[in-house]
Amino acid sequence: MSLAPVHLAVDLGASSGRVIAGSLQNNQMELAEVHRFANDPVTIQQSMHWNVHGLWADIQQGLRTASQQFDTIASVGVDTWGVDYVLVDDQDQMTGPVRHYRDPRTRGAMQRAWEIVPRQEIFEATGLQFMELNTLYQLVAARLAGEHSLEIADGFLMMGDFFHWLLSGKRSIEATNASTTQLLDPRTRQWSSELISRFQLPAQIFQDVTEPGCQLGVIQPSVAALTGLDNVPVIIPATHDTASAVIAVPVNDFAPEKPNWCYISSGTWSLMGCELAQPRINAKCAELNFTNEGGIQGSTRLLKNIGGLWIFQQIRKSLERRQAAESWDVMVERALAAKPFELLINPDDEAFVAPTDMVDAIVSYAGRTGQKAPESNGVLYRGALEGLALRYRACLEMLETLVGNQIDVIHIVGGGSQNELLCQMTADACNRVVVAGPVEATAAGNVAVQMMGTGQLGSIVEARELIRTSFGTKQFDPADRSAWDDAAEKFKSL
């Protein structure tokens, strides 16, 4: 049993979830994993759904375990992936299934949306990059299909808000996740009523947004009875997992005017960007398709979504179906041993969004781009990692253009920071120092905001100082630049 107050971070990623206990011990933040569970989508009638009922059962199990392990639970807060949503009716019931952002219903929805409101006007109103999975295009697809769930909806909740609603019984829409919808004005952090009207979306479902750090309420009695967490405050963190992860970047400033560092929140997706005081909504940002998402305390996360470790992960799933899967460590070893640049893979190619089989998709891609089919698993693994590092290089050049300053250090946080081969490749490809860690950046950022909400921490800079001194990092210095220069030129053709 821990005597220090414990803050419970429910951290839901696109492939797994955890309940993490965070506390202050001897002036250090300590994190302990209480419960881990899978987050696998379910396909029903050609539609891809999130198993939110299973996730909620696992969350309650994790909270129940925490109540048995720790004396004092000070608060609980949830962070999740972005763009996806839940609709509820006036009886406080879900109106329909919760669609996965890779669900095929959004195919073509972005182009149909531009027929209603031109692309340039959408960007000027929201400052958001154009991706078919954005909430706006999910809602447009739902409206055009006449989905009854939208017609009878009384409330709209992003994924973090949904679980906060289940915990507390109170609805809210947190700002950092709302900023991923492509319906929020990043200057005012309020909904764009004009876009909502022009797309004929039900305005009444979009309640005012809530900033991170506020207390929503306490755990409602039905949940307290099942978990043992009685009268525990629900404090809203930065519910978008990247926003929480950025809070944990181990630097000694906040939203600098001329940033000389950038971050990569590395996992299934890679989110690469800079933390700014104000959004950058201009023609160059639109041309480069960068996004202005909300950060803590009104800051902006100027970033680009990159395919991330999705391809690397899905190669392993493909090999599992062939009874040929290898451990993650072996995959990295084989990638290291493979010949460099045998296969160049653009992680953002449409072929890799949701293929039935990733290995087959890569073989087809190699043929389409005039490359040899991979002759070994090592070539597959290495190609996935090299392609990611080369994509980081391209995004770094764009970022420096947008912020008007040289970026000297790349901070890689999250699970991908454990892949030392990818970290070194990133340093080499970008010719920049890479600092890797903390691994549990999202949970640390979530806990830090809860600590701010309860008065244990006074500012973001103070939170970052605590995180920097609590968790180890590793530095990777660039080398072998010329080989990456040649590969980068070939990569541009992809």
Side-chain angles (χ1 to χ4, degrees):
M1 289 280 189
S2 170
L3 297 178
V6 168
H7 304 269
L8 298 179
V10 180
D11 175 27
L12 300 178
S15 57
S16 66
R18 296 92 49 78
V19 175
I20 304 282
S23 61
L24 283 177
Q25 306 280 352
N26 300 317
N27 296 317
Q28 299 278 293
M29 179 186 288
E30 292 195 1
L31 300 176
E33 185 176 288
V34 177
H35 181 52
R36 176 182 286 268
F37 45 93
N39 183 13
D40 294 319
V42 179
T43 299
I44 300 175
Q45 302 284 19
Q46 292 80 53
S47 294
M48 191 177 291
H49 302 169
W50 290 109
N51 180 11
V52 293
H53 300 87
L55 291 175
W56 177 231
D58 270 308
I59 289 169
Q60 290 182 95
Q61 181 179 333
L63 298 180
R64 186 164 52 249
T65 302
S67 72
Q68 296 165 354
Q69 288 184 0
F70 303 105
D71 289 322
T72 305
I73 307 295
S75 64
V76 59
V78 184
D79 67 76
T80 72
W81 66 97
V83 305
D84 288 333
Y85 63 90
V86 180
L87 299 174
V88 295
D89 63 19
D90 58 4
Q91 301 296 312
D92 263 355
Q93 298 296 314
M94 296 166 57
T95 66
V98 181
R99 303 290 190 118
H100 192 290
Y101 57 77
R102 296 187 193 273
D103 183 84
R105 70 174 174 159
T106 58
R107 290 174 188 163
M110 190 161 61
Q111 288 72 22
R112 296 181 73 181
W114 295 343
E115 295 171 4
I116 301 169
V117 180
R119 173 179 175 142
Q120 182 179 348
E121 292 184 30
I122 296 174
F123 182 80
E124 289 173 352
T126 66
L128 215 71
Q129 68 186 331
F130 290 89
M131 300 179 70
E132 203 164 52
L133 51 77
N134 289 349
T135 317
L136 169 59
Y137 308 117
Q138 295 193 45
L139 289 168
V140 167
R143 187 183 67 77
L144 293 176
E147 288 187 11
H148 298 305
S149 59
L150 184 60
E151 294 172 358
I152 64 173
D154 178 66
F156 168 91
L157 302 170
M158 301 297 285
M159 297 309 301
D161 308 319
F162 171 66
F163 290 109
H164 285 143
W165 171 62
L166 293 180
L167 285 166
S168 68
K170 296 183 178 180
R171 298 183 192 176
S172 63
I173 303 181
E174 187 273 330
T176 67
N177 225 328
S179 74
T180 71
T181 61
Q182 207 159 37
L183 283 168
L184 199 79
D185 185 332
R187 307 167 192 86
T188 64
R189 290 166 84 96
Q190 299 298 322
W191 299 111
S192 170
S193 57
E194 182 179 353
L195 286 184
I196 289 170
S197 173
R198 292 174 70 180
F199 283 114
Q200 299 180 31
L201 300 174
Q204 75 278 3
I205 68 176
F206 298 99
Q207 69 180 77
D208 292 343
V209 298
T210 303
E211 292 294 334
C214 73
Q215 181 175 327
L216 182 61
V218 297
I219 288 183
Q220 61 178 316
S222 60
V223 180
L226 291 170
T227 63
L229 299 181
D230 188 27
N231 206 38
V232 171
V234 176
I235 294 182
I236 300 177
T239 64
H240 190 259
D241 49 11
T242 306
S244 276
V246 170
I247 292 167
V249 174
V251 293
N252 59 5
D253 61 7
F254 171 63
E257 183 176 346
K258 289 284 188 179
N260 64 352
W261 57 270
C262 72
Y263 59 82
I264 300 173
S265 180
S266 178
T268 300
W269 287 91
S270 286
L271 296 305
M272 185 173 186
C274 287
E275 179 184 76
L276 304 174
Q278 301 292 333
R280 299 287 171 93
I281 303 175
N282 53 44
K284 196 63 179 178
C285 186
E287 175 191 337
L288 298 177
N289 201 27
F290 266 67
T291 198
N292 291 272
E293 293 181 0
I296 191 75
Q297 294 183 346
S299 61
T300 293
R301 293 176 290 120
L302 179 70
L303 62 86
K304 182 176 280 290
N305 284 58
I306 300 171
L309 287 165
W310 164 253
I311 293 176
F312 195 69
Q313 294 165 347
Q314 291 300 305
I315 289 171
R316 190 169 187 267
K317 282 192 175 290
S318 295
L319 294 177
E320 279 179 352
R321 289 192 287 271
R322 295 167 167 80
Q323 285 77 52
E326 298 173 301
S327 71
W328 299 116
D329 288 342
V330 170
M331 290 174 70
V332 172
E333 289 173 7
R334 293 197 188 283
L336 181 60
K339 185 178 178 181
F341 310 120
E342 281 286 284
L343 176 66
L344 296 181
I345 296 174
N346 176 7
D348 292 329
D349 191 279
E350 289 184 2
F352 305 129
V353 172
T356 303
D357 185 278
M358 185 60 77
V359 171
D360 289 345
I362 291 172
V363 171
S364 175
Y365 171 84
R368 174 164 56 85
T369 54
Q371 302 183 80
K372 289 193 306 180
E375 297 178 351
S376 69
N377 287 349
V379 171
L380 276 173
Y381 306 152
R382 189 175 187 103
L385 298 179
E386 286 177 339
L388 201 46
L390 287 165
R391 189 70 175 122
Y392 294 159
R393 174 185 173 125
C395 288
L396 176 67
E397 293 173 359
M398 297 180 210
L399 262 179
E400 290 182 332
T401 298
L402 290 173
V403 302
N405 201 45
Q406 178 172 308
I407 292 168
D408 299 318
V409 180
I410 300 172
H411 287 271
I412 300 182
V413 299
S417 67
Q418 298 175 98
N419 190 321
E420 295 192 3
L421 178 57
L422 177 59
C423 291
Q424 187 61 57
M425 286 178 171
T426 302
D428 294 344
C430 297
N431 194 33
R432 297 292 188 275
V433 171
V434 167
V435 176
V439 175
E440 295 290 359
T442 301
N446 182 326
V447 168
V449 174
Q450 291 187 55
M451 288 179 172
M452 290 171 65
T454 57
Q456 283 186 283
L457 290 174
S459 68
I460 297 301
V461 172
E462 185 180 338
R464 284 177 166 163
E465 173 66 20
L466 174 65
I467 290 167
R468 187 167 60 250
T469 58
S470 299
F471 304 104
T473 60
K474 185 169 183 177
Q475 181 168 314
F476 296 84
D477 296 316
D480 196 23
R481 177 178 178 178
S482 60
W484 285 91
D485 288 345
D486 294 340
E489 286 303 311
K490 294 178 183 177
F491 187 75
K492 287 179 182 178
S493 67
L494 303 179

